[in-house]
Amino acid sequence: MNQEEAMPMSGYEASLAEIQNVIMDWALAAEGFRQRYTGLTELINSLEKNKRIRASVSRERMQRLRILRQHSTDALLTLMLDMSGQRAGRSSQLSKPGQLHSHARMLNELNRAIDAELTTPVTTVAQA
């Protein structure tokens, strides 16, 4: 094996300003996600506790909420493992700007999905 094959190719190097922008995008997305995830969990808990509301909420909506919460939990754990560098088969290294950008996009997509569920009104059934 010659020396060219042994040395990894260095690709595009992001500027400091680009890295700072990506980090800020990621931080904003992560904070927004944390707030929305808390709101989603509170909504699910309140729907499960309140019998009047639970009776009017369709099974499909509760299932969607639970699936969204589980997907969000899985995504968050994956991102945390990715950032820590402790995933199987990876050496401990800091996340690259491309990974942060992907993480921010994923969190923003989850934020939109959670927002759609949180803004859907919950109607109660009047008891006779």
Side-chain angles (χ1 to χ4, degrees):
M1 179 160 61
N2 65 27
Q3 190 175 12
E4 290 177 342
E5 291 176 338
M7 295 187 69
M9 296 288 289
S10 66
Y12 169 77
E13 291 291 325
S15 72
L16 182 59
E18 290 172 313
I19 292 172
Q20 288 174 337
N21 286 338
V22 168
I23 291 170
M24 286 303 299
D25 290 344
W26 179 85
L28 291 172
E31 179 59 23
F33 175 77
R34 184 193 66 75
Q35 292 171 351
R36 286 171 178 90
Y37 184 84
T38 301
L40 179 62
T41 299
E42 289 172 356
L43 174 62
I44 290 170
N45 292 341
S46 70
L47 291 174
E48 288 174 342
K49 288 178 185 175
N50 190 329
K51 291 180 182 180
R52 279 184 34 201
I53 294 176
R54 186 176 55 206
S56 68
V57 176
S58 70
R59 287 186 218 249
E60 295 83 22
R61 175 136 192 246
M62 283 300 293
Q63 187 65 18
R64 272 195 329 266
L65 292 171
R66 288 182 182 122
I67 289 170
L68 181 57
R69 181 173 59 181
Q70 184 59 49
H71 180 65
S72 297
T73 300
D74 293 345
L76 187 60
L77 290 174
T78 299
L79 297 179
M80 289 171 61
L81 284 173
D82 216 18
M83 294 300 289
S84 70
Q86 295 178 4
R87 295 187 89 182
R90 287 182 53 186
S91 62
S92 182
Q93 63 183 24
L94 294 176
S95 189
K96 296 177 182 169
Q99 288 174 303
L100 288 176
H101 184 66
S102 296
H103 295 172
R105 268 195 326 230
M106 180 188 297
L107 290 173
N108 283 328
E109 288 172 16
L110 284 169
N111 286 342
R112 282 191 290 279
I114 293 171
D115 283 345
E117 289 297 336
L118 293 178
T119 58
T120 301
V122 176
T123 56
T124 60
V125 176
Q127 291 186 348

